[in-house]
Amino acid sequence: QVQVVESGGGLVQEGGSLRLSCTASGLSLADYAVGWFRQAPGKEREGVSCVSPQYSKIYYADSVKGRFTISRDNAKNTFYLQMNSLKPEDTAMYYCAADRRTYGCSKQTSSYDYWGQGTQVTVSS
């Protein structure tokens, strides 16, 4: 059974940093496209960042470009989202997802096959 789990969320002041982790059981994340999404109250879930299988393509939403960095540790079957210079508008539930495609990565939620339960990020001003 596949399970995807996020962790690392919390409350941070504006300008601070957090590192989110995404780990999986039942699949090797390195063989999947992995995406980070977020959903604020009353808003649709949006793609924040994604990376293709074999790490050949990386995407960042314009709103986080230059502040967020996606990375991985294959030995731990874990992906990370390093979030720096956080803003109140980054406040949301953050989700990790895995897509079994063989190339590229998508910012569309419908492309993803496995989802975690989310981790809350709250940025205070």
Side-chain angles (χ1 to χ4, degrees):
Q1 184 177 355
V2 174
Q3 189 173 19
V4 177
V5 179
E6 308 93 336
S7 62
L11 174 63
V12 64
Q13 288 190 330
E14 184 174 7
S17 298
L18 283 173
R19 189 179 76 161
L20 306 184
S21 298
C22 171
T23 190
S25 59
L27 60 83
S28 174
L29 287 175
D31 296 330
Y32 285 70
V34 174
W36 283 99
F37 293 80
R38 66 186 181 187
Q39 187 168 20
K43 294 188 177 181
E44 292 188 354
R45 193 170 297 189
E46 63 172 350
V48 173
S49 178
C50 70
V51 59
S52 62
Q54 311 313 321
Y55 225 70
S56 57
K57 175 185 174 182
I58 298 176
Y59 159 83
Y60 294 102
D62 288 342
S63 58
V64 306
K65 205 169 290 184
R67 300 188 297 122
F68 290 12
T69 304
I70 193 169
S71 63
R72 69 180 182 183
D73 184 335
N74 286 345
K76 296 182 178 180
N77 200 27
T78 299
F79 276 73
Y80 304 98
L81 185 68
Q82 178 67 42
M83 307 186 297
N84 299 329
S85 302
L86 283 162
K87 305 175 181 179
E89 51 264 44
D90 294 319
T91 295
M93 185 72 79
Y94 282 71
Y95 299 89
C96 176
D99 175 357
R100 61 168 66 97
R101 66 174 58 216
T102 58
Y103 64 92
C105 69
S106 173
K107 56 183 178 179
Q108 303 298 324
T109 58
S110 58
S111 296
Y112 289 80
D113 304 291
Y114 304 105
W115 288 84
Q117 82 291 346
T119 185
Q120 177 67 39
V121 172
T122 303
V123 184
S124 63
S125 56

